């Protein structure tokens, strides 16, 4: 079962979140953080997939503070729009959209332990959430653009983290991934023979083998830390 709920952040800002319910008693909750394309068909399908594994999946609209109801595809025009919206969201006064992620985590806590997973920009947000927010039992960023910069690599995670990267990623240089791995020995870093966006079956970069292996590792990681 799926629905849209409206959550309220600590500053009173209200925003929508797509919620997918598991068929039985929840094992916990997973907050699913979007790419630069909004809570689109792919992100909703990802949330549905985690729900099928027994978790309440919550996908908050992290663009809502800058533009409501964004549901983009993967055309060049969509990419340009998404890049601009990400820049606008990143330019918000701190803590920006982390307040909305915190509200999604708090909503998920009623169902048990909470994990966070994010893709692309959502991967970066997942890393930041793991390092700044309480109430997160485990975090899994997928090819988080920007998270291998020196400033991000200097953060200290507050929970276990599993990070997925592709060695052919045009947006995240492999040497920066290796430097991040060295700087973060407590983070489980997995590198795949794949491009940026390898998990998304709506994109040309989709890599079924890498996506399947990363999913297996992610589900095992969440089972270990959430239940």
């Amino acid at each position: 079962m799926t629905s849209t709920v409206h959550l309220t952040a600590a500053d009173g800002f209200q925003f929508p979140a797509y919620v997918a319910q598991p068929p039985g008693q929840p094992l916990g909750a997973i907050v699913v953080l979007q790419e630069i394309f909004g809570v689109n068909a792919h992100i909703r399908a990802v949330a549905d997939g985690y729900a099928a594994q027994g978790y309440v999946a919550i996908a908050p609209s992290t663009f809502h503070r800058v533009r409501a109801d964004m549901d983009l595809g993967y055309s060049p025009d969509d990419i340009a729009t998404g890049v601009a919206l990400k820049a606008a969201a990143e330019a918000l006064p701190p803590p920006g959209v982390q307040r909305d992620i915190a509200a999604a985590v708090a909503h998920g806590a009623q169902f048990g332990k909470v994990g966070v997973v994010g893709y692309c920009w959502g991967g970066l947000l997942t890393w930041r959430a793991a390092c700044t927010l309480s109430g997160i039992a485990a975090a899994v960023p997928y090819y988080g653009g920007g998270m291998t910069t020196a400033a991000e690599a200097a953060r200290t995670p507050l929970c276990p983290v599993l990070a997925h990267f592709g060695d052919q990623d045009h947006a995240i240089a492999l040497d920066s991934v290796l430097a991040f791995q060295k700087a973060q020995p407590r983070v489980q870093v997995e590198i795949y023979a794949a491009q940026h966006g390898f998990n998304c079956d709506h994109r040309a970069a989709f890599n079924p083998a890498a996506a399947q292996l990363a999913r297996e590792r992610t589900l095992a990681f969440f089972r270990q830390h959430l239940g």
Side-chain angles (χ1 to χ4, degrees):
M1 184 177 68
T2 65
S3 62
T4 298
V5 301
H6 286 82
L7 304 178
T8 303
D11 63 346
F13 181 76
Q14 293 189 330
F15 60 96
Y18 176 84
V19 177
Q21 297 279 352
Q25 184 71 19
L27 300 174
I30 295 176
V31 175
V32 180
L33 298 181
Q34 63 172 68
E35 303 171 297
I36 62 169
F37 308 103
V39 183
N40 64 2
H42 170 60
I43 292 299
R44 296 193 299 271
V46 168
D48 294 346
Y50 285 115
Q53 294 296 318
Y55 301 97
V56 175
I58 305 160
S61 173
T62 48
F63 274 163
H64 203 68
R65 287 181 184 265
V66 294
R67 192 180 301 177
D69 303 322
M70 292 311 301
D71 183 343
L72 300 171
Y74 299 91
S75 72
D77 286 346
D78 289 329
I79 292 171
T81 298
V83 168
L85 290 171
K86 173 192 172 184
E90 288 283 300
L92 291 169
V97 301
Q98 290 295 323
R99 289 171 290 196
D100 307 333
I101 297 169
V105 170
H107 182 74
Q110 65 185 297
F111 305 107
K113 293 181 179 180
V114 181
V116 181
V117 63
Y119 305 82
C120 184
W121 179 48
L124 172 61
L125 296 179
T126 296
W127 171 244
R128 289 175 179 166
C131 297
T132 62
L133 300 181
S134 61
I136 300 174
V140 183
Y142 276 71
Y143 34 85
M147 68 175 280
T148 61
T149 63
E152 294 293 340
R155 295 182 186 270
T156 301
L158 305 176
C159 66
V161 176
L162 163 64
H164 302 296
F165 296 98
D167 65 2
Q168 302 156 39
D169 194 322
H170 66 280
I172 307 172
L174 181 58
D175 60 353
S176 75
V177 174
L178 297 177
F180 176 89
Q181 187 176 32
K182 184 176 181 181
Q184 294 287 342
R186 293 174 53 222
V187 173
Q188 180 181 341
V189 175
E190 300 290 351
I191 302 173
Y192 304 82
Q195 301 175 37
H196 188 81
F198 67 79
N199 183 71
C200 180
D201 59 1
H202 293 222
R203 304 173 71 168
F206 177 54
N207 185 313
Q212 178 64 27
L213 180 55
R215 177 175 169 79
E216 290 171 359
R217 287 169 169 165
T218 297
L219 289 173
F221 193 72
F222 282 141
R223 282 194 297 269
Q224 177 184 356
H225 297 291
L226 273 63

